[in-house]
Amino acid sequence: QVFIMNHFLTNPVASIDSAMMVNPYAVLEPHVSQCQTDRAQIPNFVTVDFYEVGDVVRVVDELNGFPTPP
């Protein structure tokens, strides 16, 4: 099964300001972890708006088993 986790706000459309609220590690990582726990499956895809805003790459790297370098 493909597990796609949506993580974005649209009010009424995507914006960088909204991404700045939901893409930081402290918001995104707990959401990913909770979804993984609830579904007993690692998300295959994490969909976000403005992946370059916040810590999306860090969270996905950790999800894929690549630790954050010191």
Side-chain angles (χ1 to χ4, degrees):
Q1 287 184 328
V2 175
F3 176 17
I4 300 171
M5 188 194 113
N6 294 323
H7 182 84
F8 49 82
L9 297 175
T10 52
N11 188 18
V13 296
S15 73
I16 290 177
D17 289 338
S18 293
M20 288 171 51
M21 289 190 301
V22 297
N23 288 0
Y25 188 90
V27 178
L28 179 56
E29 193 284 328
H31 187 203
V32 170
S33 292
Q34 188 63 52
C35 285
Q36 183 177 353
T37 299
D38 291 349
R39 297 287 185 148
Q41 181 180 354
I42 296 171
N44 300 94
F45 299 97
V46 177
T47 59
V48 298
D49 289 327
F50 305 99
Y51 77 91
E52 68 278 9
V53 173
D55 302 302
V56 176
V57 173
R58 176 182 171 197
V59 171
V60 172
D61 278 351
E62 289 180 6
L63 188 64
N64 286 314
F66 300 108
T68 302

